[in-house]
Amino acid sequence: MVHLYNLHPFGSQQVVPCKQEPEQFCGGGRDALFVAAGCKVEAFAVSGQELCQPRCAFSTLGRVLRLAYSEAGDYLVAIEEKNKATFLRAYVNWRSKRTENSRVCIRMIGHNVEAPFSETFRDQMSIIEMPLSEAPLCISCCPVKGDLLVGCTNKLVLFSLTYQIINEEFSILDFERSLIIHIDNITPTEISFCTGYVAVMSDLEVLVLKLESDPKNRGSVNHHPHKTNSPMKPAEEGISNETSHLESDDFVMCQKPMELLGEKSKQSGVSVTLESTGLTDEKIKYFHVQHLLYRRFAPDISSYVLPDDIKLHSLQLLPIYHTGSLSSNGKNSSQEKELLSLFCFYSLPHVGYLYMVVKSVELMSIYQYPEKCQQAVLTPQFLHVITSNNLQCFTVRCSAAAAREEDPYVDTTLKVDYSNSYKTVKTQSCIHLLSEAHLLVRAALMDAHQLEPGEKAELLEAFKESCGHLGDCYSRLDTQHAHLALPYYKMSGLSMAEVLAQVDWAAEDGSQKYERGLIFYINHSLHENLDEDLSEELAAKVVQMFHVAEPKQLPYILCSPSMKNINPLTAMNYLRKLDTSGFSSILVTLAKAAMALKIGDLETHRKEMKSHSEMKLVCGFILEPRLLIQQQKGQIFPTELAVHLKETQPGLLVASILGLQKNNKMGIEEADSFFKVLCGKDEDMIPQLLVDFWEAQLVACLPDVVLQELFFKLTSHYIWRLSKGQPPDSTPLRTSEDLINACSHYGLIYPWVNILISYDSSADKNYTEDLSKLQSLICGPSFDIASIIPFLELLSEDTAAGLSVHVLCRTRLKEYEQCVDTLLERCPEAVIPYANHELKEENRTLWWKKLLPELCQRIKCGGEKYQLYLSSLKETLSVVAVELELRDFLNVLPEDGTAAFFLPYLLYCCRKKSLT
């Protein structure tokens, strides 16, 4: 907020020739002014050639106490007094009142006009009488819908604007009393109404409410008062009773000052009740009340009479609309305006208060007047204050706040508070003036739909120019708000090169002083990875600037894609000058290694990389990921250092990318794309280095990695390579044994699997590691077997590798009988080790129910595997003889078996009980 001395945004000043001293006045839209004096209202033109000339005049019933105009409906409403009685009347079609003696039609609210009389309403003014049970005290018209709110003692009456349709070509304006808002213990002196928002003011209190429509609760609405706020709390009732008792004994109890915002305003003790008075439920607009603001001031207790120095005045709700609210024919319509933001203003004689009341309720500004204020008027850009001697003007932030409401990033990237800029002591007056110019231009752009295309383009250019000037000020002056240089330069549309071109580079001996604002802007711009490449000359100047002002930032800015044109020798020279005692030396080491690689000095590169442990190097890459990966125009590019590490230290590269992911510096998909681009593979091709990275993720047990998704990636790739017989494109970083020892997700491979594999002499040694890793994952405790069943079709059971994977998966799915059949057919050598490992506990019965009958049947058939089946049968009988009692054992033996063959096992089964 800035007080503008002797400066007002008015193009001219005109004098209205009133015949009598004005008692009340109000604006009539953009082209009229109403002045009430005595029992007459005069309308004056305020635009066009007839500036300040009388347009029409009409008589009132009595002296006008209050006067208000509504642009929606184009009507005038007045509270008039005659013979100590007050009346509420609306004047419609007033533009047809050519002379004071022209005919006038007077009708009651809601009176149906019959067709024969309709033609008379076209060319004459109508006065609508609105009777009330209590005297009206104040009035307010909704600027959007034209509804009328009337304040009476302890209640507000809402009249909805309606239209009586006479025929297809003609309709007349009317009102319907639709709602009564009962407010206990408040006698309104001023009210303000806007699209369901209601502000009520008494001498010492301000209450802001929002009337809400909720069709879901329509059934609970009736034509009787519906209380929407809890009554006073018991404590407050006690105070009220105590106050009454004290007052009866000539004591006065004064309440304390209070300010309640948002939901807390319900605690004010003010009871609000809604009473629907519409003719039908279908016309009910509002059902509930939301409390937004309550403010109470304390009177001066030194006097029994409330002094004027403490009375509130100038209550106002100021709406700001969306810039693109147009009607169907492409023209703006006041009936179709969409509310963007709403502000509430009220004033004491020496101080004014401005609140934002949409979405969130907050106090925006407090205005201290140098003189006693008689009246104040708020506009989107200024607050005009009338005193006894002057018309004073203050800037306001309504337009700027509404602009940020419509587009939060339009004028700031660091949540920027314009009002704070005026607290700076060291800034020059130019910042003050430029800030005001910026606000005025931005406010004008809020109403851009009223501008011609050329005017809008001119305003946008002025807006960018003002932002550029403010950026220059904040970047060159030593001020506590130097960081504002960044958002202003961003809004100006200037490139980094254009900003740097304006910098004074004259002193190059190290004595040059660069202000914080410029350093802040350049530093943040280089960290944002802008799609802008600085020339070699400008890049060298930037390095020199940071060497002088912020040497700690030098390793970071050298990693920016915008600095890729820097001469590596120049960069190396500045890096060697750095004193690394005060900050992390690992970044300087990595920056030197990267620059040495660009120069082609491999010896220096190796020396720098060996000066720290691998763990410290990983930490350095985590501090500055752009040493390995850069982004431009949405594309990922591995750096030259990353390409070199791929060939020389792939383990370090994988560990570094894993560290970036673990510290939320890189996403999962981003990491996958990085390795594919690094290895020159298409999206469908998986390089071994990416497989190494997936395996490292499992070993690291990252909490953000979805395990089953990672298992799916690895197993599907292992199966694909096994099915194609394709070896990895590089040597894997870890063997299956390494993974089993380091990661709990890789389990020990079952013994019978090794027996099954060992009998296949045709196994290709090039992909045995893939097979072992796949088998180990399947044997692990975490893997969901069902997820890879569809992929097993790629892996044929004709090979021992494929057979082992299929049997493993069936075993994990508890399909033991099918596995026994498969092993007996394909690899009898593994059937007993399989049974010893898998047929345990509840599955032990399969020894005599499945394995024993199958072996006996196959022995009967003979064949080349007879001896293998026979030895397996002997081991099976040894197990069954131990597990079963003699009678059960006899029952499972084949009836046509040779007694001599089974006799030793029968004798052991008989003696085992005595032996135990």
Side-chain angles (χ1 to χ4, degrees):
M1 180 270 293
V2 176
H3 184 192
L4 304 179
Y5 293 96
N6 299 321
L7 176 62
H8 302 282
F10 303 126
S12 64
Q13 175 178 312
Q14 303 292 331
V15 178
V16 177
C18 298
K19 296 179 180 179
Q20 302 181 43
E21 181 178 355
E23 296 178 347
Q24 301 289 335
F25 66 92
C26 72
R30 295 181 176 271
D31 61 348
L33 173 69
F34 297 101
V35 180
C39 295
K40 182 183 293 185
V41 174
E42 294 181 276
F44 296 88
V46 293
S47 63
Q49 297 179 351
E50 299 179 352
L51 188 62
C52 292
Q53 296 301 312
R55 294 188 54 171
C56 66
F58 45 88
S59 298
T60 61
L61 190 63
R63 188 169 67 92
V64 177
L65 302 180
R66 296 291 177 98
L67 196 64
Y69 169 80
S70 173
E71 185 174 2
D74 192 25
Y75 68 88
L76 185 71
V77 63
I79 298 178
E80 305 169 15
E81 182 185 42
K82 183 179 182 180
N83 298 331
K84 297 184 179 180
T86 54
F87 305 87
L88 181 65
R89 308 173 94 199
Y91 299 82
V92 301
N93 205 21
W94 57 270
R95 297 179 187 271
S96 300
K97 190 79 164 58
R98 301 301 179 186
T99 64
E100 188 172 353
N101 296 325
S102 300
R103 293 184 61 184
V104 175
C105 173
I106 301 178
R107 53 190 170 93
M108 294 293 291
I109 179 177
H111 175 70
N112 291 327
V113 180
E114 297 181 1
F117 299 96
S118 62
E119 295 298 327
T120 62
F121 291 98
R122 288 183 181 271
D123 300 319
Q124 70 179 26
M125 185 179 76
S126 297
I127 301 176
I128 303 177
E129 299 275 2
M130 290 181 277
L132 292 167
S133 60
E134 296 185 18
L137 302 176
C138 45
I139 51 178
S140 177
C141 302
C142 175
V144 178
K145 298 183 178 180
D147 297 341
L148 172 64
L149 189 68
V150 183
C152 305
T153 302
N154 293 334
K155 69 179 181 181
L156 307 175
V157 182
L158 177 61
F159 293 89
S160 298
L161 180 64
T162 61
Y163 289 88
Q164 290 190 30
I165 300 176
I166 305 302
N167 52 50
E168 294 181 356
E169 300 179 354
F170 180 59
S171 62
I172 63 172
L173 184 147
D174 200 0
F175 293 90
E176 177 187 355
R177 188 175 68 169
S178 59
L179 185 70
I180 298 178
I181 308 171
H182 298 274
I183 305 178
D184 295 344
N185 302 321
I186 289 185
T187 300
T189 57
E190 294 184 28
I191 59 175
S192 187
F193 182 56
C194 179
T195 61
Y197 290 85
V198 177
V200 186
M201 185 177 73
S202 64
D203 287 336
L204 292 175
E205 295 174 286
V206 175
L207 176 65
V208 180
L209 308 169
K210 182 184 179 183
L211 304 177
E212 294 185 328
S213 299
D214 188 1
K216 294 181 180 179
N217 295 333
R218 162 166 277 181
S220 63
V221 179
N222 50 46
H223 295 278
H224 301 284
H226 174 69
K227 186 159 292 188
T228 59
N229 186 30
S230 58
M232 279 191 182
K233 297 180 180 178
E236 292 174 336
E237 292 179 356
I239 293 176
S240 178
N241 294 333
E242 185 179 354
T243 301
S244 176
H245 174 72
L246 290 174
E247 287 178 348
S248 64
D249 294 332
D250 296 333
F251 284 93
V252 177
M253 177 68 71
C254 297
Q255 294 179 315
K256 294 181 179 181
M258 180 186 297
E259 181 183 39
L260 301 173
L261 304 180
E263 290 294 326
K264 293 184 179 179
S265 59
K266 290 183 179 179
Q267 304 172 10
S268 63
V270 178
S271 179
V272 180
T273 306
L274 297 185
E275 178 184 357
S276 173
T277 59
L279 296 179
T280 60
D281 288 345
E282 285 74 14
K283 294 185 178 181
I284 296 176
K285 291 185 177 180
Y286 304 110
F287 299 86
H288 302 285
V289 170
Q290 179 183 358
H291 291 245
L292 301 179
L293 168 66
Y294 177 77
R295 184 76 184 265
R296 182 172 66 210
F297 295 88
D300 184 359
I301 62 174
S302 63
S303 173
Y304 283 100
V305 181
L306 191 64
D308 291 337
D309 287 345
I310 197 62
K311 287 185 178 180
L312 292 165
H313 62 78
S314 302
L315 176 67
Q316 184 178 350
L317 289 177
L318 176 69
I320 293 183
Y321 310 102
H322 280 285
T323 57
S325 299
L326 297 176
S327 61
S328 59
N329 58 3
K331 298 181 179 179
N332 284 85
S333 171
S334 60
Q335 297 292 336
E336 299 180 14
K337 291 179 179 177
E338 182 180 356
L339 187 68
L340 172 63
S341 193
L342 186 69
F343 303 88
C344 178
F345 175 82
Y346 57 85
S347 181
L348 289 168
H350 292 284
V351 61
Y353 300 88
L354 177 63
Y355 292 83
M356 176 184 285
V357 294
V358 170
K359 293 187 178 178
S360 63
V361 183
E362 58 178 305
L363 177 63
M364 292 182 60
S365 300
I366 298 178
Y367 300 88
Q368 300 287 343
Y369 311 138
E371 302 176 30
K372 183 178 178 181
C373 168
Q374 305 291 336
Q375 189 176 1
V377 178
L378 180 69
T379 69
Q381 295 84 28
F382 296 101
L383 173 67
H384 303 283
V385 178
I386 301 174
T387 69
S388 56
N389 299 316
N390 293 299
L391 172 61
Q392 298 182 349
C393 187
F394 297 79
T395 60
V396 297
R397 295 189 295 133
C398 296
S399 292
R404 286 195 292 273
E405 191 74 20
E406 187 172 39
D407 185 356
Y409 305 102
V410 71
D411 59 351
T412 175
T413 56
L414 300 176
K415 305 303 180 196
V416 176
D417 189 353
Y418 286 107
S419 64
N420 287 338
S421 64
Y422 305 118
K423 300 177 183 178
T424 304
V425 178
K426 297 181 180 180
T427 55
Q428 303 295 326
S429 59
C430 63
I431 290 187
H432 175 181
L433 297 176
L434 285 170
S435 297
E436 296 308 312
H438 176 80
L439 283 174
L440 291 175
V441 174
R442 186 67 189 97
L445 285 173
M446 287 292 296
D447 295 325
H449 58 279
Q450 299 180 356
L451 302 174
E452 297 295 331
E455 294 176 335
K456 183 177 180 180
E458 186 178 352
L459 272 177
L460 285 172
E461 190 62 31
F463 173 76
K464 292 181 179 180
E465 184 178 358
S466 69
C467 292
H469 289 317
L470 282 168
D472 291 340
C473 290
Y474 283 112
S475 67
R476 297 173 186 176
L477 296 174
D478 186 11
T479 164
Q480 64 179 7
H481 296 296
H483 62 277
L484 295 180
L486 176 63
Y488 281 119
Y489 274 140
K490 294 292 183 186
M491 289 186 290
S492 71
L494 294 173
S495 66
M496 195 167 22
E498 290 172 328
V499 173
L500 289 172
Q502 303 174 21
V503 178
D504 182 13
W505 306 97
E508 297 192 6
D509 57 354
S511 62
Q512 174 73 41
K513 182 181 180 182
Y514 302 100
E515 296 298 341
R516 290 182 297 134
L518 180 62
I519 296 297
F520 185 84
Y521 164 72
I522 298 297
N523 190 22
H524 276 261
S525 297
L526 292 176
H527 275 79
E528 288 179 7
N529 297 328
L530 301 177
D531 294 332
E532 179 183 0
D533 298 337
L534 296 178
S535 64
E536 181 180 345
E537 180 184 3
L538 282 179
K541 290 181 177 180
V542 169
V543 170
Q544 191 265 339
M545 176 196 300
F546 278 88
H547 176 72
V548 173
E550 289 285 345
K552 293 182 180 180
Q553 294 296 324
L554 198 54
Y556 294 97
I557 66 143
L558 286 173
C559 296
S560 172
S562 300
M563 296 287 289
K564 68 180 182 180
N565 293 327
I566 184 68
N567 188 321
L569 287 174
T570 302
M572 184 66 88
N573 290 334
Y574 279 107
L575 288 171
R576 285 170 176 163
K577 295 177 183 178
L578 288 178
D579 179 12
T580 59
S581 59
F583 62 100
S584 177
S585 61
I586 186 63
L587 278 180
V588 179
T589 296
L590 290 173
K592 288 180 181 178
M595 291 302 163
L597 198 61
K598 289 185 177 181
I599 298 171
D601 188 353
L602 296 180
E603 184 62 32
T604 301
H605 169 79
R606 284 191 290 267
K607 179 181 177 183
E608 295 292 342
M609 294 298 288
K610 290 181 180 179
S611 62
H612 293 281
S613 66
E614 183 172 300
M615 184 60 68
K616 285 191 175 182
L617 293 176
V618 170
C619 293
F621 288 124
I622 294 174
L623 288 174
E624 183 46 86
R626 293 180 299 177
L627 284 163
L628 295 175
I629 181 172
Q630 295 188 347
Q631 291 185 355
Q632 276 193 324
K633 298 180 180 180
Q635 298 294 322
I636 294 176
F637 297 97
T639 62
E640 189 176 347
L641 179 58
V643 175
H644 185 74
L645 291 178
K646 168 184 171 289
E647 303 298 334
T648 58
Q649 294 178 275
L652 172 61
L653 180 61
V654 169
S656 300
I657 301 299
L658 186 65
L660 293 178
Q661 183 185 344
K662 196 172 184 178
N663 287 273
N664 298 320
K665 298 287 186 73
M666 181 180 286
I668 297 175
E669 295 182 0
E670 188 180 5
D672 290 359
S673 298
F674 168 78
F675 282 108
K676 289 180 180 179
V677 175
L678 178 68
C679 299
K681 301 293 184 181
D682 297 332
E683 280 296 320
D684 297 333
M685 300 298 293
I686 307 298
Q688 175 58 38
L689 205 58
L690 178 55
V691 179
D692 292 329
F693 175 68
W694 291 340
E695 293 171 349
Q697 285 180 296
L698 275 185
V699 173
C701 297
L702 296 181
D704 294 336
V705 175
V706 180
L707 279 180
Q708 296 304 324
E709 182 179 351
L710 199 55
F711 288 145
F712 178 77
K713 288 180 180 179
L714 284 168
T715 54
S716 60
H717 185 67
Y718 291 149
I719 291 173
W720 182 84
R721 283 209 300 217
L722 287 170
S723 65
K724 300 296 182 181
Q726 181 176 339
D729 57 356
S730 62
T731 304
L733 296 179
R734 286 184 172 91
T735 64
S736 57
E737 185 177 356
D738 296 333
L739 292 172
I740 292 171
N741 293 331
C743 180
S744 60
H745 299 300
Y746 284 88
L748 286 171
I749 300 175
Y750 302 153
W752 58 267
V753 177
N754 295 325
I755 296 174
L756 193 155
I757 294 296
S758 64
Y759 279 88
D760 187 1
S761 58
S762 61
D764 191 342
K765 304 300 182 183
N766 289 328
Y767 56 87
T768 53
E769 279 299 322
D770 284 341
L771 177 60
S772 298
K773 291 176 182 178
L774 177 59
Q775 293 170 342
S776 178
L777 270 182
I778 297 174
C779 295
S782 310
F783 185 52
D784 180 16
I785 300 299
S787 64
I788 65 162
I789 294 300
F791 288 90
L792 292 181
E793 296 179 1
L794 300 176
L795 206 57
S796 173
E797 294 189 43
D798 294 339
T799 63
L803 180 64
S804 67
V805 175
H806 280 274
V807 175
L808 266 175
C809 290
R810 293 185 190 123
T811 300
R812 290 293 307 275
L813 294 174
K814 299 183 178 181
E815 298 175 359
Y816 301 110
E817 294 189 31
Q818 185 178 357
C819 293
V820 169
D821 289 336
T822 301
L823 291 177
L824 285 173
E825 182 66 29
R826 296 288 305 279
C827 186
E829 299 90 343
V831 71
I832 295 301
Y834 176 86
N836 284 327
H837 190 268
E838 304 296 342
L839 305 184
K840 300 177 180 178
E841 298 175 356
E842 69 272 11
N843 299 314
R844 188 169 292 273
T845 59
L846 294 178
W847 279 93
W848 53 88
K849 290 184 178 181
K850 175 65 179 177
L851 186 56
L852 180 60
E854 285 290 337
L855 287 171
C856 292
Q857 183 63 32
R858 293 175 186 269
I859 289 174
K860 289 180 183 179
C861 297
E864 59 181 8
K865 297 181 180 179
Y866 174 82
Q867 291 299 328
L868 290 174
Y869 292 144
L870 185 61
S871 61
S872 298
L873 177 60
K874 292 179 180 179
E875 294 190 45
T876 302
L877 287 172
S878 298
V879 173
V880 175
V882 173
E883 294 294 328
L884 298 181
E885 297 295 332
L886 179 60
R887 180 179 299 175
D888 296 329
F889 186 35
L890 284 170
N891 290 333
V892 299
L893 293 178
E895 295 180 356
D896 55 350
T898 304
F901 178 80
F902 294 105
L903 185 59
Y905 304 101
L906 288 169
L907 292 175
Y908 177 80
C909 187
C910 293
R911 293 199 303 265
K912 70 177 180 181
K913 190 171 184 180
S914 60
L915 290 174
T916 56

